[in-house]
Amino acid sequence: KPSFPLAFEIGGGDAMMGGQPFEGPVDVVARLSRTGDAIPSKGDAEGTARGLKIPSKGVSVTIDSVRQ
């Protein structure tokens, strides 16, 4: 049950493949799952910040769409 706005930080430890360089540009997606499942599904609310350089500061992700 997050409180918004929610501050976040992403670093090299968050890379999907360990040992690989964490480089940009990257897309950051925020999603609120209807079911609580980690896999995205229809009806989830989400938003994306695209093409971010690494490092970046002051990034905002607005949850403004519903997954179809």
Side-chain angles (χ1 to χ4, degrees):
K1 297 182 180 185
S3 176
F4 295 101
L6 179 70
F8 66 94
E9 185 173 312
I10 299 172
D14 298 303
M16 292 181 72
M17 297 189 61
Q20 298 294 318
F22 196 59
E23 300 173 336
V26 299
D27 295 344
V28 174
V29 179
R31 182 175 52 84
L32 297 174
S33 171
R34 291 184 318 111
T35 63
D37 195 349
I39 299 171
S41 63
K42 183 177 178 179
D44 290 352
E46 59 188 15
T48 305
R50 298 186 187 281
L52 301 174
K53 294 179 182 180
I54 303 295
S56 289
K57 291 186 178 186
V59 174
S60 293
V61 181
T62 301
I63 297 174
D64 59 359
S65 62
V66 176
R67 182 175 278 273
Q68 301 298 313

